Amino acid sequence: MSDKNILLITGDFGEDYEVMVPFQALQMVGHDVDAVCPEKEAGETVKTAVHDFRGDQTYVESRGHDFELTATLADVDPADYDALVLPGGRAPEYVRTYDAVIDAVQHFFEADKPVAAICHASQILVAADVVEGRTCTAYPALEADVRDAGGEWAEGVVRDGNLVTGQAWPDHPEWLAEFLDVLGTDIQHGTPVTAD
């Protein structure tokens, strides 16, 4: 397996599971992940939010964790990264207004590098004008946004070339498996070793 350098862009009130789970899972299989946020530096934190589905018309939101950033967006060069992860939550609605975020996202698409986006991260994809002609998904309430941007809407986890999209954190197993496949990550399953 060749380790990949992966950029994760989030912000305050990014969805807790959608930030923390891919960040840790990608590291667990040997990839290097830099988490960044506009106007914040490495070592600073963003507040996350937990979105839960309890049978209401939409999700309920509660306070999550403080998530420590590992790099500074202003200092990173997207060309140094092999792939991009865009978590959902409330962060996408405002991080998409930063030119540095849009430029970074467009770099990954122009260079045909793997991109994983989940839930409300499609707001960033739409703002970066990279949805047209692609089949993708997002949080279900954003179907109109995807279609208005020229995208083809689909349910569940969707892979379109190097773009892997999911609707929300319950999609993590399939979404991350598809992304690892796009990355070319080879996970070897061996026999566990236990102490006597």
Side-chain angles (χ1 to χ4, degrees), residues 7-86:
L7 184 64
L8 184 150
I9 301 175
T10 190
D12 279 322
F13 301 105
E15 208 291 322
D16 189 87
Y17 297 161
E18 295 169 6
V19 174
M20 308 254 313
V21 172
F23 180 79
Q24 293 173 339
L26 291 165
Q27 289 178 325
M28 180 186 73
V29 297
H31 298 304
D32 294 318
V33 185
D34 278 338
V36 298
C37 171
E39 297 186 7
K40 293 199 179 204
E41 296 184 5
E44 291 186 271
T45 60
V46 293
K47 296 173 181 71
T48 68
V50 175
H51 291 170
D52 204 358
F53 310 101
R54 299 182 183 166
D56 301 311
Q57 290 179 314
T58 189
Y59 56 86
V60 64
E61 183 176 84
S62 54
R63 177 73 162 85
H65 296 89
D66 290 335
F67 176 77
E68 186 175 336
L69 302 166
T70 60
T72 303
L73 180 61
D75 296 341
V76 302
D77 181 353
D80 294 336
Y81 294 90
D82 303 301
L84 174 66
V85 174
L86 297 172

Side-chain angles (χ1 to χ4, degrees), residues 44 104 157 187:
E44 291 186 271
V157 171
I187 299 173

Side-chain angles (χ1 to χ4, degrees), residues 115-194:
V115 174
I118 194 161
C119 202
H120 285 78
S122 65
Q123 293 175 312
I124 300 171
L125 300 179
V126 167
D129 198 24
V130 295
V131 171
E132 186 172 359
R134 292 186 172 272
T135 301
C136 56
T137 197
Y139 186 69
L142 299 178
E143 179 178 351
D145 300 73
V146 170
R147 290 189 185 280
D148 288 347
E152 178 80 22
W153 178 262
E155 300 289 333
V157 171
V158 180
R159 179 173 171 178
D160 183 332
N162 280 343
L163 174 63
V164 179
T165 53
Q167 294 191 303
W169 58 260
D171 288 339
H172 275 158
E174 187 181 352
W175 178 69
L176 285 167
E178 283 292 331
F179 188 51
L180 290 173
D181 189 54
V182 171
L183 290 171
T185 306
D186 182 27
I187 299 173
Q188 300 296 318
H189 296 281
T191 304
V193 177
T194 57

